Amino acid sequence: MPFDLTDLRLFVHVVESGSITAGAEQSYLALASASGRIRNMEEALGVRLLVRGRRGVSPTEAGNELVRHAHSIMRQWERMVGDVSQYAHGLKGHIRLLCNTATITEFLPEILIPYLTAHPNVGIDVQERLSNEVVQYVLEEKADVGVVAQSTEVGELETFPFRKLKLVLVTSPEHPLAKRNSIAFAETLSYDFVGLAEGSSIQKYLESHASKAGGRVNYRIRLRGFIAVSRLVMNNVGIGVIPESAALHCQESMHLQIIQLTDPWATRQLMLCLRDFAHQPLHIRELVELLKEPVNASVL
């Protein structure tokens, strides 16, 4: 064999970081050794794998194809190691999980505690992405498991119900909308908003529906986290749209009015998506089983 798993991991790290230096560091290799390994791979395959530029490196078409196969080979290797090592000192592996803001803050922490406790040798890398980006990453084997809206086109990926996400409007008790029990999102667009930081999947979702309604979201300030948003809403800086579970939690310590959104899109079924569940490593299959929506789960 002209190259091995170390070479494949190195190449993936180089492509994902866009730098041979960074890829070498992630692979715990000296720069000279990393450069030599990549050069040997190109010579063994008889094709150029990377394009070197002033700002780093990028893969050629052949390089992209190698990355795709490398992910597949490493996944199979992890599955073998995981399936065998369960008989010794517990599962070993790494899981790349992509999802939206609410999934990260409202659902995952509590769900993942028993899994991480039971599997001390498994690491989970959680990143925020939009649903269409999640699907693309999983299809390209750059992620193992994703959480997307049910309406998302997932192609050949397998899906399982995760949780239901319900968005609500929050205002201060002094706000003109505070006495409303329910409201259409379009009616809120004439007021100032306290929003989540740029890049938030929920905020992009709201901006999309504002555009469809012929309006836009007017931000006074954008912050990270539902608690920060709620604090400013409580002080009448603006109104906000956050998950109902977050609103109820914040309402325990803050003076907030929770108003139901009448738009059908305000309640979404979230789905787990991944490639070929039956052939995933054991530690990924066990995580998916844990993440599946409980039977008869209510809307959160």
Side-chain angles (χ1 to χ4, degrees):
M1 182 177 179
F3 44 87
D4 55 22
L5 280 172
T6 300
D7 296 319
L8 292 178
R9 287 196 183 94
L10 166 65
F11 189 74
V12 169
H13 287 154
V14 168
V15 170
E16 291 182 347
S17 65
S19 164
I20 295 178
T21 300
E25 291 176 354
Q26 293 177 40
S27 303
Y28 304 102
L29 294 171
L31 179 58
S33 175
S35 297
R37 283 175 177 270
I38 291 175
R39 185 168 55 252
N40 290 339
M41 293 173 71
E42 290 180 322
E43 292 176 356
L45 293 170
V47 65
R48 193 177 185 185
L49 299 173
L50 295 173
V51 176
R52 280 77 170 174
R54 294 177 61 185
R55 296 187 177 182
V57 296
S58 58
T60 62
E61 289 188 17
N64 278 323
E65 188 68 15
L66 179 60
V67 168
R68 187 176 70 82
H69 284 287
H71 278 302
S72 178
I73 292 169
M74 290 189 294
R75 189 173 69 253
Q76 286 297 108
W77 175 264
E78 283 194 353
R79 184 187 179 198
M80 180 193 73
V81 172
D83 286 351
V84 174
S85 65
Q86 65 173 315
Y87 298 103
H89 305 293
L91 297 176
K92 292 182 175 64
H94 181 78
I95 302 173
R96 295 158 297 173
L97 173 61
L98 304 184
C99 50
N100 60 19
T101 311
T103 298
I104 293 174
T105 60
E106 296 301 301
F107 301 127
L108 286 184
E110 192 169 322
I111 298 174
L112 290 179
I113 289 173
Y115 179 87
L116 293 170
T117 301
H119 303 95
N121 296 318
V122 177
I124 302 178
D125 179 17
V126 181
Q127 296 183 22
E128 182 181 354
R129 291 287 188 279
L130 299 176
S131 287
N132 61 331
E133 295 175 329
V134 170
V135 170
Q136 193 64 31
Y137 273 66
V138 176
L139 284 172
E140 293 177 356
E141 303 185 9
K142 295 179 181 178
D144 301 301
V145 183
V147 178
V148 299
Q150 188 175 35
S151 58
T152 307
E153 175 56 51
V154 298
E156 62 190 30
L157 299 179
E158 287 191 55
T159 60
F160 303 95
F162 174 59
R163 296 292 186 280
K164 288 184 176 66
L165 174 66
K166 184 177 182 180
L167 298 175
V168 296
L169 181 74
V170 289
T171 75
S172 76
E174 294 78 30
H175 194 275
L177 297 177
K179 294 182 179 180
R180 297 284 296 270
N181 293 319
S182 62
I183 191 171
F185 181 61
E187 294 182 63
T188 71
L189 297 178
S190 58
Y191 297 93
D192 290 332
F193 271 75
V194 178
L196 292 167
E198 190 172 355
S200 160
S201 53
I202 284 184
Q203 216 60 55
K204 288 184 178 180
Y205 184 64
L206 293 176
E207 289 166 1
S208 170
H209 283 286
S211 178
K212 291 176 183 177
R216 61 189 296 271
V217 180
N218 299 304
Y219 299 108
R220 285 198 69 191
I221 188 171
R222 303 182 70 162
L223 305 163
R224 290 192 178 277
F226 302 130
I227 294 177
V229 168
S230 297
R231 287 191 182 281
L232 269 71
V233 168
M234 178 183 69
N235 287 283
N236 211 18
V237 173
I239 60 177
V241 174
I242 62 177
E244 186 176 43
S245 55
L248 291 171
H249 175 75
C250 291
Q251 197 180 46
E252 294 176 1
S253 58
M254 304 180 198
H255 297 296
L256 287 177
Q257 296 296 111
I258 299 176
I259 302 166
Q260 302 298 314
L261 291 172
T262 59
D263 307 84
W265 53 259
T267 299
R268 294 194 295 170
Q269 173 68 54
L270 301 179
M271 306 293 291
L272 298 166
C273 66
L274 72 163
R275 301 172 305 275
D276 194 3
F277 173 80
H279 290 87
Q280 290 293 330
L282 181 59
H283 60 280
I284 293 180
R285 283 179 277 145
E286 289 195 348
L287 176 63
V288 171
E289 290 292 348
L290 177 66
L291 292 176
K292 286 182 183 178
E293 184 173 35
V295 177
N296 299 323
S298 60
V299 175
L300 297 177

